[in-house]
Amino acid sequence: MAGPVDPTSPAAPAYLALGDSYTIGEGVEPAGRWPVQLAAALRGEGIAIADPRIIATTGWTTDELDAGIDSAHSQAAIGHDHALVSLLVGVNNQYRGRPLDEFRVQFAALLQRAVAFAGGDPRRVLVLAIPDWGVTPFAFAQSRDAGLVGAQVDAFNAVCREEAARAGAHWIDIAPVSRARGGEAGMLVDDGLHPSAAMYALWTAQALPAARQALGR
């Protein structure tokens, strides 16, 4: 019987993670990022997967992620043979007050790119909800109305959920756990806004069943 596939080996199935601060893991060590935790969890179950190639930057909106993908592709070809692709973006559109209709168009286009990177198979694509940052100390310090932020995040997530269903991708709704526990000190890094590795572990646990399915396990 063959041994486990080395995640750095060219034989390891590829994973591409697209997003913003929540995917790059602002304020956490690389091992604490949720896509890295997800890959490690899959390998812990004997499912071969490479560490993710992450294309994400803190502050990116949907159009900025789209441009970031183009830039990354120009530096190192992304390829269209990924066994797993994840997409989590939109909080900065909401934060900047960008129109919801504009977001739908741009998010749908990004999702189609994600599907293409997964070899045209939407069953290999995970779409994660935008977390509710309105419960964080950062939001309180800015005198943000938590109810309003939550309602806006819900509206953006409705778009994400609808587009994921339309495309045939997996939908992982991490918004409720972010809302329930996102104000806890242990679930945040020092800026009082971005999730800690402990919160990302909760997201990973929610994403794991869909990732298993995406990888045919």
Side-chain angles (χ1 to χ4, degrees):
M1 180 180 294
V5 175
D6 181 341
T8 64
S9 165
Y15 173 18
L16 177 67
L18 307 172
D20 50 35
S21 62
Y22 296 126
T23 293
I24 199 61
E26 176 72 21
V28 303
E29 294 296 321
R33 298 166 177 165
W34 79 262
V36 177
Q37 291 194 47
L38 179 60
L42 288 164
R43 290 194 296 269
E45 296 185 354
I47 303 172
I49 192 74
D51 279 333
R53 177 179 180 182
I54 296 177
I55 301 176
T57 294
T58 297
W60 270 357
T61 54
T62 42
D63 55 321
E64 290 164 346
L65 173 56
D66 192 56
I69 292 170
D70 290 340
S71 178
H73 184 71
S74 70
Q75 297 173 42
I78 296 173
H80 293 80
D81 57 351
H82 295 84
L84 189 65
V85 180
S86 61
L87 177 63
L88 166 50
V89 69
V91 70
N92 296 297
N93 295 68
Q94 179 271 327
Y95 182 79
R96 298 188 201 177
R98 299 271 287 268
L100 196 59
D101 289 345
E102 173 193 76
F103 173 71
R104 183 183 292 276
V105 171
Q106 294 177 354
F107 184 84
L110 280 170
L111 185 49
Q112 287 307 307
R113 295 194 80 173
V115 170
F117 292 137
D121 188 349
R123 296 170 299 177
R124 299 186 199 170
V125 178
L126 313 181
V127 177
L128 269 72
I130 301 164
D132 185 355
W133 62 275
V135 302
T136 65
F138 174 88
F140 288 119
Q142 287 199 341
S143 299
R144 294 285 184 138
D145 182 330
L148 178 60
V149 171
Q152 291 174 346
V153 167
D154 285 346
F156 275 78
N157 276 333
V159 169
C160 297
R161 182 178 62 250
E162 290 162 9
E163 294 302 326
R166 183 175 288 113
H170 297 273
W171 168 247
I172 296 103
D173 190 2
I174 56 86
V177 72
S178 76
R179 186 168 288 151
R181 304 197 59 188
E184 298 176 17
M187 294 292 165
L188 297 164
V189 296
D190 290 344
D191 65 8
L193 170 63
H194 290 97
S196 68
M199 175 62 85
Y200 287 140
L202 299 179
W203 298 9
T204 296
Q206 287 192 245
L208 189 55
R212 289 191 202 105
Q213 291 181 29
L215 294 168
R217 297 291 290 273

